[in-house]
């Protein structure tokens, strides 16, 4: 029963990641491009989580107290600001 509950949590987490990062629809056709797209999203996800971890350590917070989508929003805003300068 514990294993099933954990699997359910993982499935919910994957769904959240896919929706938050916009990977619910991959616009690629070949299997190799799907793999590349998924690896790219995984790299981006792990990079964002690392930024969150560093920020939490700096602020003395626990990672559970931060929002992935909030962090992503802030990074998008900063990327836009940096891209315009």
């Amino acid at each position: 029963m514990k294993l099933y509950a954990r699997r359910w949590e993982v499935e919910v987490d994957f769904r959240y990641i896919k929706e938050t990062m916009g990977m619910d629809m991959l616009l690629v056709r070949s299997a190799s491009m799907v793999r590349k797209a998924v690896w790219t999203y995984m790299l981006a996800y792990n990079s964002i989580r690392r930024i969150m971890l560093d920020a939490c350590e700096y602020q003395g917070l626990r990672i559970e107290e931060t929002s992935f989508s909030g962090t992503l929003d802030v990074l998008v805003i900063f990327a836009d600001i940096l891209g315009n300068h």
Side-chain angles (χ1 to χ4, degrees):
M1 194 63 157
K2 287 181 184 180
L3 182 60
Y4 179 79
R6 182 63 188 132
R7 180 176 175 226
W8 179 256
E9 291 174 17
V10 170
E11 292 290 335
V12 170
D13 289 344
F14 276 140
R15 184 179 321 129
Y16 174 77
I17 291 167
K18 286 174 23 181
E19 290 172 0
T20 303
M21 295 190 65
M23 25 178 326
D24 43 340
M25 286 286 288
L26 294 178
L27 302 176
V28 295
R29 296 188 179 167
S30 70
S32 66
M33 288 305 292
V34 169
R35 280 191 292 279
K36 288 178 185 177
V38 170
W39 278 110
T40 301
Y41 277 109
M42 288 174 61
L43 176 63
Y45 174 80
N46 285 323
S47 298
I48 293 166
R49 294 295 290 186
R50 181 61 205 207
I51 291 168
M52 290 173 66
L53 181 62
D54 290 344
C56 286
E57 288 176 353
Y58 182 77
Q59 293 293 325
L61 301 171
R62 294 178 321 130
I63 192 91
E64 296 84 10
E65 297 175 300
T66 60
S67 164
F68 179 84
S69 59
T71 304
L72 181 58
D73 290 343
V74 169
L75 290 173
V76 167
I77 291 168
F78 278 121
D80 186 47
I81 290 170
L82 292 174
N84 289 326
H85 287 95

